[in-house]
Amino acid sequence: MKSKIEAIKEKEMALRGTERLHIKRLDPEATIPTRGSEGSAGLDLYALREQFVLPRHQQNIRTGVAMSIPDGNVGMIWPRSGLAAKHLIDVMAGVVDSDYTGEIIVILRNHNDIPFKVHKGERVAQMIIQGYNKLEPMEVDELDQTSRNVEGFGSTGRF
């Protein structure tokens, strides 16, 4: 018999309409993305091969996986906080559109003065799948006025 908490969780999942993210392993040695914990927003992406990211350079890191992101969603590739904080490793150009079904490639940027070794099977980035509004661009003669209007950098306070 289910506990009250289990029944509530099942009901919440049904109401949310939990969807599946279809992932294809393109290389038998690839690691399927995983979540670090139940509450993790991001799916950890893993390096397919060992390689180096030279100081002040960037390197494409293969994951060996492809995925089918549902229409109306986008995969955003973000740095892992530990790599950023400990090794100054950042992620570049992290948008994966729903109509792209090729291999997920992570572009790592080394902001450090020493080479960074990427180990095979190491978590190198995280992907957050999020919904977005598909708005059709339309040219207009005027835009709505706001209290901020055209004020740019620093206009809402100190840097």
Side-chain angles (χ1 to χ4, degrees):
M1 184 164 204
K2 294 178 194 169
S3 72
K4 275 188 171 181
I5 293 174
E6 288 173 324
I8 290 169
K9 281 186 178 181
E10 277 186 19
K11 190 174 183 178
E12 286 176 355
M13 293 273 287
L15 289 172
R16 275 190 276 175
T18 303
E19 290 186 57
R20 301 283 184 196
L21 179 64
H22 295 168
I23 299 172
K24 181 178 180 181
R25 194 184 314 254
L26 302 175
D27 186 294
E29 296 183 9
T31 303
I32 297 297
T34 61
R35 293 192 193 284
S37 70
E38 187 178 319
S40 295
L43 291 164
D44 289 327
L45 300 174
Y46 296 83
L48 181 62
R49 304 273 182 258
E50 181 178 291
Q51 58 192 113
F52 284 91
V53 184
L54 298 176
R56 310 289 176 194
H57 284 78
Q58 62 192 42
Q59 183 70 41
N60 290 356
I61 308 297
R62 293 185 56 209
T63 65
V65 297
M67 52 185 74
S68 181
I69 297 172
D71 190 39
N73 291 275
V74 61
M76 302 296 293
I77 302 176
W78 290 92
R80 296 196 66 249
S81 57
L83 289 181
K86 295 175 188 171
H87 304 285
L88 299 177
I89 299 298
D90 199 2
V91 169
M92 311 294 291
V95 175
V96 181
D97 294 311
S98 62
D99 59 354
Y100 175 74
T101 56
E103 182 176 9
I104 302 299
I105 305 290
V106 175
I107 305 170
L108 291 185
R109 174 79 181 168
N110 184 353
H111 294 281
N112 211 331
D113 292 324
I114 57 174
F116 177 74
K117 183 176 184 179
V118 176
H119 299 276
K120 176 182 175 181
E122 179 178 9
R123 295 176 297 165
V124 292
Q126 59 184 319
M127 179 184 284
I128 297 175
I129 308 295
Q130 61 188 67
Y132 65 92
N133 293 321
K134 287 186 178 182
L135 303 176
E136 190 61 35
M138 181 176 83
E139 184 177 5
V140 296
D141 293 328
E142 297 292 327
L143 296 176
D144 294 338
Q145 295 295 310
T146 66
S147 60
R148 186 171 173 189
N149 205 9
V150 297
E151 299 299 319
F153 296 115
S155 64
T156 61
R158 296 184 67 189
F159 278 119

